[in-house]
């Protein structure tokens, strides 16, 4: 009997681990895109962080508008530093506001990451991952590589257990008086799975 109970608990434990990957398997995860960590783009450390309650039920898409589009890793890293300066120094926030940003060349840039509350959509910060598409997408779509990396980043977040499987995808304009993420990009994401028109 003791043996049976032991086996039962061993199995239950394996199931629990597979439902939400442990820290170890998250660390071993390989992203299906070029991932540029904070140290690689020259981020300053955050002035504090608030832990996100995971998994989050929302993904909020933004565009940067300013700084403008970037299509090389060097120019996108530069834009990341500009955004961190604006948010952390000028606005006095703890850090760059977004959890992640995606460059025109398809790389994903780490902002606050998966586990810290962002500053990108008031009242949704504590229940979402905020992703900034670097560029101005009012009148034109991001390059295909940038759109694909946005989709893959969201899929990775679901796979890693940071984003709920039944997450709602929204544009910033749905929760604030803003044009963000730009009309063209908003039209695009409104055709994607999980897009939620009414909140
Ligand atoms: Zn926005």
């Amino acid at each position: 009997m003791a043996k049976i109970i032991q086996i039962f608990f061993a199995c239950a434990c394996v199931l629990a681990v597979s439902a939400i990957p442990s820290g170890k398997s998250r660390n071993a995860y390989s992203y299906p895109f070029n991932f540029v960590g904070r140290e690689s783009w020259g981020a300053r450390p955050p002035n504090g962080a608030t832990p996100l309650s995971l998994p989050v039920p929302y993904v909020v898409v933004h565009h940067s508008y300013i700084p403008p589009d970037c299509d090389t890793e060097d120019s996108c890293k530069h834009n990341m530093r500009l955004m961190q300066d604006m948010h952390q120094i000028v606005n006095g926030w703890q850090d760059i506001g977004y959890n992640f940003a995606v460059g025109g060349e398809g790389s994903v840039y780490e902002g606050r990451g998966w586990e810290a509350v962002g500053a990108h959509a008031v009242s949704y910060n504590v229940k979402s991952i905020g992703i900034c598409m670097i560029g101005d997408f009012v009148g034109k779509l991001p390059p295909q590589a940038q759109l694909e990396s946005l989709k893959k980043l969201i899929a990775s977040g679901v796979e890693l257990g940071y984003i709920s499987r039944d997450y709602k995808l929204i544009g910033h304009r749905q929760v604030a008086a803003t044009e963000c993420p730009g009309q063209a990009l908003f039209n695009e994401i409104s055709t994607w799975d999980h897009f939620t028109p009414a909140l």
Side-chain angles (χ1 to χ4, degrees):
M1 188 61 176
K3 181 100 181 172
I4 292 169
I5 290 170
Q6 202 178 354
I7 290 167
F8 172 78
F9 280 111
C11 292
C13 180
V14 167
L15 284 175
V17 167
S18 67
I20 295 188
S22 65
K24 196 177 171 194
S25 58
R26 280 172 174 168
N27 290 341
Y29 185 83
S30 174
Y31 288 106
F33 42 74
N34 182 41
F35 184 83
V36 182
R38 294 177 64 92
E39 61 292 340
S40 180
W41 59 264
R44 277 184 304 274
N47 299 320
T50 305
L52 259 180
S53 177
L54 301 169
V56 296
Y58 291 92
V59 173
V60 183
V61 175
H62 303 263
H63 71 161
S64 63
Y65 189 66
I66 298 170
D69 316 27
C70 52
D71 58 7
T72 64
E73 201 172 309
D74 277 350
S75 59
C76 292
K77 284 177 173 176
H78 175 72
N79 285 356
M80 289 299 287
R81 293 190 294 272
L82 288 178
M83 290 193 284
Q84 192 187 33
D85 287 350
M86 178 59 69
H87 296 170
Q88 197 178 37
I89 297 175
V90 180
N91 296 358
W93 300 347
Q94 289 179 329
D95 195 358
I96 187 170
Y98 309 112
N99 297 90
F100 298 94
V102 185
E105 87 301 16
S107 296
V108 171
Y109 297 82
E110 183 183 27
R112 297 193 186 194
W114 295 116
E115 299 185 12
V117 172
H120 57 90
V122 178
S123 83
Y124 279 75
N125 290 325
V126 296
K127 50 187 176 184
S128 69
I129 290 293
I131 305 172
C132 175
M133 297 286 272
I134 302 173
D136 167 1
F137 303 116
V138 173
K140 66 175 190 302
L141 279 176
Q144 200 56 36
Q146 192 171 7
L147 290 170
E148 285 305 316
S149 289
L150 172 58
K151 285 182 181 170
K152 287 176 182 171
L153 175 63
I154 296 169
S156 291
V158 171
E159 206 175 321
L160 288 164
Y162 293 118
I163 298 172
S164 301
R165 293 200 171 275
D166 60 350
Y167 72 90
K168 291 179 165 68
L169 175 69
I170 61 173
H172 187 192
R173 61 166 59 184
Q174 292 176 265
V175 295
T178 173
E179 211 276 335
C180 182
Q183 189 65 50
L185 178 54
F186 184 71
N187 290 348
E188 169 67 21
I189 66 166
S190 66
T191 67
W192 292 7
D193 283 350
H194 292 269
F195 178 78
T196 305
L199 297 169

